[in-house]
Amino acid sequence: MLVTHWGLSGPVVLRLSAWGARELYQDKYQAKLVVDFIPDIHIEDVKRILFQHKDQHAKNKVNNAFPKEFGLVKRFWGFLLEQESLDGDMHWATVPKSHLNAMALRLKQWMFEVVGKGQFKDEFVTAGGVPLSEISLSTMESKKQPNLFFAGEVLNVDGVTGGFNFQNAWTGGYIAGTSIGTLASKSILKEEQACLQLQGS
């Protein structure tokens, strides 16, 4: 997950938005998102680390010395301090215990308000489309309408972020194109044979 200046992004957010695409659309992209920034550390251990850090770095400024166990970058730590209304220049010794508990809770259960799509309103893939059950996957031809072929985003395929949707479009397009070419060749061959039969008679 990437924390950007305009919101949350990255593969995990794209995948989550794909899984909840229909629900997000129905709710006009208004939702709540709870993030655990340090999933490998239990909340009680997070609190213990923060309290120990306060004791061991009492004379250091909170913005300069923060627990490395959390794996956070300095800029994100500064953002956390801002959200807790803590001055980065204050010393660890002066940080109230209530703020340490609040910081631990925020790191483990930070709630964000989803207020819309990304700033560019871009969609990486579309949700929905022609069901795969209505397609012959060996030719990409419709089972309902002969000589009608589908490929790419028009199909109800929403692959995992990371190029799978491109691969689906390319592979489906190749299969559909090859099938159409084969069908056209057979049609031309039939016409030629019909012409030859007419000429022979």
Side-chain angles (χ1 to χ4, degrees):
M1 184 176 71
L2 300 176
V3 180
T4 73
H5 65 283
W6 53 264
L8 301 177
S9 186
V12 69
V13 172
L14 295 176
R15 190 176 302 180
L16 184 62
S17 66
W19 288 339
R22 289 170 178 84
E23 291 82 1
L24 286 168
Y25 175 78
Q26 289 170 355
D27 293 334
K28 298 183 171 73
Y29 299 94
Q30 307 292 308
K32 294 185 189 304
L33 176 66
V34 179
V35 179
D36 183 348
F37 283 99
I38 40 178
D40 295 331
I41 307 176
H42 190 275
I43 189 167
E44 294 306 321
D45 291 324
V46 175
K47 291 177 183 178
R48 178 182 52 77
I49 291 168
L50 284 170
F51 279 95
Q52 284 179 351
H53 196 83
K54 175 181 176 173
D55 293 339
Q56 294 169 357
H57 299 271
K59 296 180 180 179
N60 293 344
K61 293 181 179 180
V62 291
N63 200 35
N64 294 333
F66 54 94
K68 301 302 180 197
E69 296 94 326
F70 299 157
L72 305 175
V73 296
K74 185 174 182 178
R75 194 168 174 183
F76 183 81
W77 178 256
F79 178 67
L80 172 63
L81 296 177
E82 286 177 20
Q83 298 303 304
E84 289 298 324
S85 301
L86 292 173
D87 183 353
D89 288 330
M90 69 188 300
H91 293 92
W92 272 98
T94 61
V95 178
K97 291 182 179 180
S98 59
H99 277 277
L100 294 179
N101 286 322
M103 289 167 71
L105 189 62
R106 193 182 288 271
L107 284 170
K108 292 297 292 179
Q109 301 173 15
W110 201 325
M111 183 175 291
F112 294 89
E113 293 283 339
V114 178
V115 296
K117 299 181 187 180
Q119 63 176 355
F120 303 114
K121 304 291 186 288
D122 290 335
E123 308 243 351
F124 285 78
V125 283
T126 56
V130 178
L132 295 183
S133 60
E134 296 180 6
I135 304 295
S136 173
L137 296 178
S138 61
T139 62
M140 304 307 287
E141 184 176 12
S142 170
K143 292 178 181 177
K144 292 188 168 185
Q145 179 63 51
N147 299 329
L148 180 61
F149 296 81
F150 296 100
E153 290 292 298
V154 76
L155 295 170
N156 188 17
V157 176
D158 189 357
V160 177
T161 303
F164 295 101
N165 291 293
F166 285 130
Q167 186 62 55
N168 168 63
W170 295 327
T171 302
Y174 175 81
I175 294 170
T178 303
S179 301
I180 292 168
T182 301
L183 187 66
S185 296
K186 288 179 181 177
S187 178
I188 292 170
L189 186 59
K190 282 183 182 178
E191 287 180 13
E192 289 176 348
Q193 288 173 345
C195 287
L196 289 172
Q197 286 176 357
L198 285 173
Q199 289 174 358
S201 59

